[in-house]
Amino acid sequence: MVVLDFGGQYAHLIARRIRELGVYSEILPGDSPAEEVLSRRPGALVLSGGPMSVLEEGSPRPDPRLLDSGLPILGICYGHQLLAHALGGVVRRSPRAEYGGTRIIRRGESRLLEGLPDEFTAWMSHGDVVAEPPPGFSATAISESGLIAAMEDPDRGAGVYSVQFHPEVAHTEHGMDVIRNFLLSIAGLERDWNPVSRIPSMIEEVRGMVGPEDSVICAVSGGVDSMTTAAIVHRAIGDRLHVVFVDHGLLREGEAEGVLRALGELGIRNVHFVDASDRFLSALRGLTDPEEKRLAIGRTFAEVFEEVASRVRGAKFLAQGTIYPDRIESGASGRGADRIKSHHNVAGLPERFGLRLIEPLRDLYKDEVRRIARELGLPDYIVDRHPFPGPGLAVRIEGEVTEEKLRIARRANAIVEEEFVRAGLYGAVWQAFAVLTEGRWVGVKGDRRELGRVVIVRAVTSEDGMTADWYRIPHDLMARISKRITEEVPGIVMVAYAATSKPPATIEPYRAARPPSTRPSPCR
Ligand code: XMP
């Protein structure tokens, strides 16, 4: 499957849903030339949502030849409007913008909506609307306010279908059924995609790249992506893999030990471990601004990493755990412009040392990496652990990072994790952690009153970290966390809970504000 990306924030979600159903999918820019799209030999096309209006000049369009390519096509949101506009229907500014959960009422027969109830709730986010379907199309559903919610012409080529709502988001009832109907019964695709079956070819690819005398450096952070990368490269070239693990002193409790243990269990022998906590702490001394802290961490990391890497003989390659969403930023302008998040290019090393990159996971999503990791024998405490930011606890400590504040933050974070695990809810959230603020609160212990610190607990649910909802934490779990933190962590007298989703708030509190994001605004 090819998902043509018109800049909606949901293109990755669509591609992932398709893969979840067992069909391999890739994202290409919406205006890719037909040759480029067809060279992937897709079995069907999806036109994604996007922030523009088809009524605006210069808004992105698919190559018209694709609409006549004879492939089954599914348009979603902006993609639905594009199809109407391109095939002779009428698109207008909507009299009422529809956002959020909306009742959808079916009308007549529909191959796309087959098996769905007569009414269901779907997620909408649009300002334009298809006022008249193109000739040959019938409207197969309307929204509660009477606007066209779905249309189809099964006889046009191999069938053209579209929906105004977002079947890919979890809030849409039967959304997966819509995608399944399109993939399996309309496009007739086989469910043959299984990331685990890719392992042998990933190993072969590494063998093909790396010469018999060459070595590969792989920096691991403890995260599942870098550990899985190391495991694959190790299977390919054995001891010519050199793993570098820098402990910057900002890790979670027990993390360094866990990573070293896991590397040992994988049989990786060339492990260059550096405990550089003191060096990072000195670099952070006196810094209070998140951006300055992040830069100091990045700089120090580069120095330490370079020292270690320069001792590895014959190193020609750097293996890194770049995954698909890191590489293909949905809505990125410029065709084929792979955008690698800068923090993934470890310490600028590839450029400085002329190292070539090995990125075995570059086409995979996180959940797929987890399946591969499990297959390769990585332990659960690596595979299932919550994502953790590169600059570590520094982004969870307000103001200057000192040894004392690190101790507090590390313990408080560990307590949150332990209690989520004990409640059986660790896997129910994307992340759960504690934040050490500069806020003060008066504490009372017996007759003594003294000023103490405030810790904020944050737990969120999310599919990919791009958007997140605050987790409705059970009160008794919150009570246990609060009691333990105030009792066990010196200096903390108040525990609060962060009850705000993303947007408007980011997940991590003291992260550097990125330069203006290229991420698109929500789909129309
Ligand atoms: P935000 O804070 O942007 O977090 O809502 C989204 C996801 O990214 C992680 N995160 C980071 N990861 N370096 C990283 O490697 C960072 O500076 C950073 N800031 C946030 C965060 O943990 C969440 O999963």
PDB file of all heavy atoms in Angstrom, residues 225-246:
ATOM      1  N   ASP A 225      14.966   0.747  20.515  1.00  0.00           N
ATOM      2  CA  ASP A 225      15.435   0.891  19.130  1.00  0.00           C
ATOM      3  C   ASP A 225      16.941   0.634  19.019  1.00  0.00           C
ATOM      4  O   ASP A 225      17.390  -0.117  18.156  1.00  0.00           O
ATOM      5  CB  ASP A 225      15.123   2.304  18.596  1.00  0.00           C
ATOM      6  CG  ASP A 225      13.651   2.640  18.648  1.00  0.00           C
ATOM      7  OD1 ASP A 225      12.830   1.710  18.745  1.00  0.00           O
ATOM      8  OD2 ASP A 225      13.303   3.831  18.600  1.00  0.00           O
ATOM      9  N   SER A 226      17.716   1.273  19.885  1.00  0.00           N
ATOM     10  CA  SER A 226      19.172   1.104  19.761  1.00  0.00           C
ATOM     11  C   SER A 226      19.602  -0.297  20.181  1.00  0.00           C
ATOM     12  O   SER A 226      20.510  -0.887  19.585  1.00  0.00           O
ATOM     13  CB  SER A 226      19.929   2.175  20.553  1.00  0.00           C
ATOM     14  OG  SER A 226      19.598   2.132  21.915  1.00  0.00           O
ATOM     15  N   MET A 227      18.930  -0.880  21.160  1.00  0.00           N
ATOM     16  CA  MET A 227      19.304  -2.238  21.592  1.00  0.00           C
ATOM     17  C   MET A 227      18.979  -3.261  20.501  1.00  0.00           C
ATOM     18  O   MET A 227      19.726  -4.212  20.274  1.00  0.00           O
ATOM     19  CB  MET A 227      18.577  -2.604  22.889  1.00  0.00           C
ATOM     20  CG  MET A 227      19.022  -1.800  24.098  1.00  0.00           C
ATOM     21  SD  MET A 227      20.731  -2.104  24.574  1.00  0.00           S
ATOM     22  CE  MET A 227      20.572  -3.652  25.449  1.00  0.00           C
ATOM     23  N   THR A 228      17.855  -3.061  19.829  1.00  0.00           N
ATOM     24  CA  THR A 228      17.485  -3.986  18.748  1.00  0.00           C
ATOM     25  C   THR A 228      18.459  -3.849  17.578  1.00  0.00           C
ATOM     26  O   THR A 228      18.852  -4.842  16.957  1.00  0.00           O
ATOM     27  CB  THR A 228      16.036  -3.716  18.284  1.00  0.00           C
ATOM     28  OG1 THR A 228      15.193  -3.747  19.437  1.00  0.00           O
ATOM     29  CG2 THR A 228      15.552  -4.740  17.281  1.00  0.00           C
ATOM     30  N   THR A 229      18.839  -2.602  17.298  1.00  0.00           N
ATOM     31  CA  THR A 229      19.829  -2.376  16.239  1.00  0.00           C
ATOM     32  C   THR A 229      21.116  -3.135  16.563  1.00  0.00           C
ATOM     33  O   THR A 229      21.678  -3.834  15.713  1.00  0.00           O
ATOM     34  CB  THR A 229      20.116  -0.863  16.109  1.00  0.00           C
ATOM     35  OG1 THR A 229      18.888  -0.206  15.810  1.00  0.00           O
ATOM     36  CG2 THR A 229      21.131  -0.572  15.025  1.00  0.00           C
ATOM     37  N   ALA A 230      21.579  -3.001  17.811  1.00  0.00           N
ATOM     38  CA  ALA A 230      22.818  -3.687  18.214  1.00  0.00           C
ATOM     39  C   ALA A 230      22.646  -5.202  18.047  1.00  0.00           C
ATOM     40  O   ALA A 230      23.548  -5.892  17.556  1.00  0.00           O
ATOM     41  CB  ALA A 230      23.167  -3.336  19.658  1.00  0.00           C
ATOM     42  N   ALA A 231      21.483  -5.714  18.433  1.00  0.00           N
ATOM     43  CA  ALA A 231      21.262  -7.165  18.351  1.00  0.00           C
ATOM     44  C   ALA A 231      21.318  -7.642  16.905  1.00  0.00           C
ATOM     45  O   ALA A 231      21.910  -8.687  16.606  1.00  0.00           O
ATOM     46  CB  ALA A 231      19.910  -7.518  18.978  1.00  0.00           C
ATOM     47  N   ILE A 232      20.741  -6.874  15.989  1.00  0.00           N
ATOM     48  CA  ILE A 232      20.752  -7.274  14.570  1.00  0.00           C
ATOM     49  C   ILE A 232      22.173  -7.241  14.017  1.00  0.00           C
ATOM     50  O   ILE A 232      22.635  -8.183  13.369  1.00  0.00           O
ATOM     51  CB  ILE A 232      19.823  -6.346  13.749  1.00  0.00           C
ATOM     52  CG1 ILE A 232      18.379  -6.650  14.101  1.00  0.00           C
ATOM     53  CG2 ILE A 232      20.057  -6.509  12.247  1.00  0.00           C
ATOM     54  CD1 ILE A 232      17.392  -5.653  13.581  1.00  0.00           C
ATOM     55  N   VAL A 233      22.888  -6.136  14.302  1.00  0.00           N
ATOM     56  CA  VAL A 233      24.247  -6.014  13.767  1.00  0.00           C
ATOM     57  C   VAL A 233      25.132  -7.110  14.365  1.00  0.00           C
ATOM     58  O   VAL A 233      25.968  -7.698  13.684  1.00  0.00           O
ATOM     59  CB  VAL A 233      24.818  -4.603  14.046  1.00  0.00           C
ATOM     60  CG1 VAL A 233      26.263  -4.511  13.561  1.00  0.00           C
ATOM     61  CG2 VAL A 233      23.972  -3.545  13.360  1.00  0.00           C
ATOM     62  N   HIS A 234      24.902  -7.438  15.623  1.00  0.00           N
ATOM     63  CA  HIS A 234      25.699  -8.491  16.247  1.00  0.00           C
ATOM     64  C   HIS A 234      25.448  -9.837  15.583  1.00  0.00           C
ATOM     65  O   HIS A 234      26.372 -10.604  15.317  1.00  0.00           O
ATOM     66  CB  HIS A 234      25.390  -8.558  17.747  1.00  0.00           C
ATOM     67  CG  HIS A 234      26.239  -9.553  18.458  1.00  0.00           C
ATOM     68  ND1 HIS A 234      25.746 -10.728  18.970  1.00  0.00           N
ATOM     69  CD2 HIS A 234      27.563  -9.567  18.709  1.00  0.00           C
ATOM     70  CE1 HIS A 234      26.727 -11.416  19.516  1.00  0.00           C
ATOM     71  NE2 HIS A 234      27.844 -10.733  19.387  1.00  0.00           N
ATOM     72  N   ARG A 235      24.175 -10.092  15.267  1.00  0.00           N
ATOM     73  CA  ARG A 235      23.886 -11.351  14.553  1.00  0.00           C
ATOM     74  C   ARG A 235      24.594 -11.377  13.198  1.00  0.00           C
ATOM     75  O   ARG A 235      24.977 -12.435  12.715  1.00  0.00           O
ATOM     76  CB  ARG A 235      22.381 -11.483  14.296  1.00  0.00           C
ATOM     77  CG  ARG A 235      21.581 -11.747  15.536  1.00  0.00           C
ATOM     78  CD  ARG A 235      21.006 -13.155  15.493  1.00  0.00           C
ATOM     79  NE  ARG A 235      20.301 -13.422  16.724  1.00  0.00           N
ATOM     80  CZ  ARG A 235      19.124 -14.011  16.789  1.00  0.00           C
ATOM     81  NH1 ARG A 235      18.518 -14.392  15.679  1.00  0.00           N
ATOM     82  NH2 ARG A 235      18.551 -14.233  17.943  1.00  0.00           N
ATOM     83  N   ALA A 236      24.744 -10.198  12.596  1.00  0.00           N
ATOM     84  CA  ALA A 236      25.328 -10.141  11.249  1.00  0.00           C
ATOM     85  C   ALA A 236      26.841 -10.282  11.278  1.00  0.00           C
ATOM     86  O   ALA A 236      27.408 -11.016  10.481  1.00  0.00           O
ATOM     87  CB  ALA A 236      24.932  -8.834  10.565  1.00  0.00           C
ATOM     88  N   ILE A 237      27.510  -9.568  12.204  1.00  0.00           N
ATOM     89  CA  ILE A 237      28.976  -9.524  12.108  1.00  0.00           C
ATOM     90  C   ILE A 237      29.680  -9.875  13.413  1.00  0.00           C
ATOM     91  O   ILE A 237      30.900  -9.723  13.522  1.00  0.00           O
ATOM     92  CB  ILE A 237      29.463  -8.135  11.623  1.00  0.00           C
ATOM     93  CG1 ILE A 237      28.990  -7.028  12.593  1.00  0.00           C
ATOM     94  CG2 ILE A 237      28.979  -7.847  10.214  1.00  0.00           C
ATOM     95  CD1 ILE A 237      29.776  -5.760  12.452  1.00  0.00           C
ATOM     96  N   GLY A 238      28.933 -10.334  14.409  1.00  0.00           N
ATOM     97  CA  GLY A 238      29.546 -10.821  15.647  1.00  0.00           C
ATOM     98  C   GLY A 238      30.417  -9.779  16.319  1.00  0.00           C
ATOM     99  O   GLY A 238      30.006  -8.631  16.503  1.00  0.00           O
ATOM    100  N   ASP A 239      31.642 -10.181  16.646  1.00  0.00           N
ATOM    101  CA  ASP A 239      32.483  -9.327  17.485  1.00  0.00           C
ATOM    102  C   ASP A 239      33.074  -8.117  16.776  1.00  0.00           C
ATOM    103  O   ASP A 239      33.814  -7.347  17.389  1.00  0.00           O
ATOM    104  CB  ASP A 239      33.628 -10.165  18.089  1.00  0.00           C
ATOM    105  CG  ASP A 239      33.090 -11.101  19.162  1.00  0.00           C
ATOM    106  OD1 ASP A 239      31.928 -10.911  19.571  1.00  0.00           O
ATOM    107  OD2 ASP A 239      33.818 -12.015  19.576  1.00  0.00           O
ATOM    108  N   ARG A 240      32.760  -7.968  15.513  1.00  0.00           N
ATOM    109  CA  ARG A 240      33.201  -6.722  14.879  1.00  0.00           C
ATOM    110  C   ARG A 240      32.233  -5.575  15.191  1.00  0.00           C
ATOM    111  O   ARG A 240      32.386  -4.464  14.731  1.00  0.00           O
ATOM    112  CB  ARG A 240      33.372  -6.932  13.371  1.00  0.00           C
ATOM    113  CG  ARG A 240      34.670  -7.682  13.097  1.00  0.00           C
ATOM    114  CD  ARG A 240      34.888  -7.875  11.624  1.00  0.00           C
ATOM    115  NE  ARG A 240      33.912  -8.802  11.091  1.00  0.00           N
ATOM    116  CZ  ARG A 240      33.218  -8.604   9.964  1.00  0.00           C
ATOM    117  NH1 ARG A 240      33.394  -7.510   9.277  1.00  0.00           N
ATOM    118  NH2 ARG A 240      32.369  -9.513   9.546  1.00  0.00           N
ATOM    119  N   LEU A 241      31.229  -5.892  15.986  1.00  0.00           N
ATOM    120  CA  LEU A 241      30.344  -4.841  16.506  1.00  0.00           C
ATOM    121  C   LEU A 241      30.918  -4.299  17.817  1.00  0.00           C
ATOM    122  O   LEU A 241      31.236  -5.074  18.729  1.00  0.00           O
ATOM    123  CB  LEU A 241      28.940  -5.397  16.777  1.00  0.00           C
ATOM    124  CG  LEU A 241      28.049  -4.460  17.621  1.00  0.00           C
ATOM    125  CD1 LEU A 241      27.662  -3.213  16.838  1.00  0.00           C
ATOM    126  CD2 LEU A 241      26.806  -5.192  18.104  1.00  0.00           C
ATOM    127  N   HIS A 242      31.051  -2.987  17.891  1.00  0.00           N
ATOM    128  CA  HIS A 242      31.492  -2.338  19.135  1.00  0.00           C
ATOM    129  C   HIS A 242      30.353  -1.465  19.639  1.00  0.00           C
ATOM    130  O   HIS A 242      29.959  -0.502  18.971  1.00  0.00           O
ATOM    131  CB  HIS A 242      32.728  -1.488  18.873  1.00  0.00           C
ATOM    132  CG  HIS A 242      33.938  -2.312  18.595  1.00  0.00           C
ATOM    133  ND1 HIS A 242      34.907  -2.570  19.537  1.00  0.00           N
ATOM    134  CD2 HIS A 242      34.302  -2.984  17.473  1.00  0.00           C
ATOM    135  CE1 HIS A 242      35.829  -3.350  19.015  1.00  0.00           C
ATOM    136  NE2 HIS A 242      35.491  -3.618  17.768  1.00  0.00           N
ATOM    137  N   VAL A 243      29.845  -1.841  20.790  1.00  0.00           N
ATOM    138  CA  VAL A 243      28.749  -1.071  21.359  1.00  0.00           C
ATOM    139  C   VAL A 243      29.318  -0.028  22.322  1.00  0.00           C
ATOM    140  O   VAL A 243      30.161  -0.339  23.154  1.00  0.00           O
ATOM    141  CB  VAL A 243      27.772  -2.006  22.103  1.00  0.00           C
ATOM    142  CG1 VAL A 243      26.830  -1.206  22.985  1.00  0.00           C
ATOM    143  CG2 VAL A 243      26.976  -2.827  21.098  1.00  0.00           C
ATOM    144  N   VAL A 244      28.854   1.196  22.171  1.00  0.00           N
ATOM    145  CA  VAL A 244      29.289   2.264  23.075  1.00  0.00           C
ATOM    146  C   VAL A 244      28.087   2.672  23.925  1.00  0.00           C
ATOM    147  O   VAL A 244      27.014   2.964  23.399  1.00  0.00           O
ATOM    148  CB  VAL A 244      29.814   3.482  22.274  1.00  0.00           C
ATOM    149  CG1 VAL A 244      30.166   4.616  23.217  1.00  0.00           C
ATOM    150  CG2 VAL A 244      31.013   3.075  21.437  1.00  0.00           C
ATOM    151  N   PHE A 245      28.295   2.650  25.217  1.00  0.00           N
ATOM    152  CA  PHE A 245      27.204   3.031  26.127  1.00  0.00           C
ATOM    153  C   PHE A 245      27.748   4.065  27.115  1.00  0.00           C
ATOM    154  O   PHE A 245      28.606   3.768  27.937  1.00  0.00           O
ATOM    155  CB  PHE A 245      26.701   1.779  26.858  1.00  0.00           C
ATOM    156  CG  PHE A 245      25.635   2.057  27.887  1.00  0.00           C
ATOM    157  CD1 PHE A 245      24.691   3.060  27.710  1.00  0.00           C
ATOM    158  CD2 PHE A 245      25.567   1.287  29.047  1.00  0.00           C
ATOM    159  CE1 PHE A 245      23.701   3.304  28.655  1.00  0.00           C
ATOM    160  CE2 PHE A 245      24.586   1.528  30.004  1.00  0.00           C
ATOM    161  CZ  PHE A 245      23.654   2.534  29.804  1.00  0.00           C
ATOM    162  N   VAL A 246      27.250   5.282  26.969  1.00  0.00           N
ATOM    163  CA  VAL A 246      27.696   6.375  27.831  1.00  0.00           C
ATOM    164  C   VAL A 246      26.643   6.595  28.907  1.00  0.00           C
ATOM    165  O   VAL A 246      25.496   6.918  28.596  1.00  0.00           O
ATOM    166  CB  VAL A 246      27.867   7.681  27.007  1.00  0.00           C
ATOM    167  CG1 VAL A 246      28.255   8.835  27.921  1.00  0.00           C
ATOM    168  CG2 VAL A 246      28.884   7.486  25.900  1.00  0.00           C
TER     169      VAL A 246
END
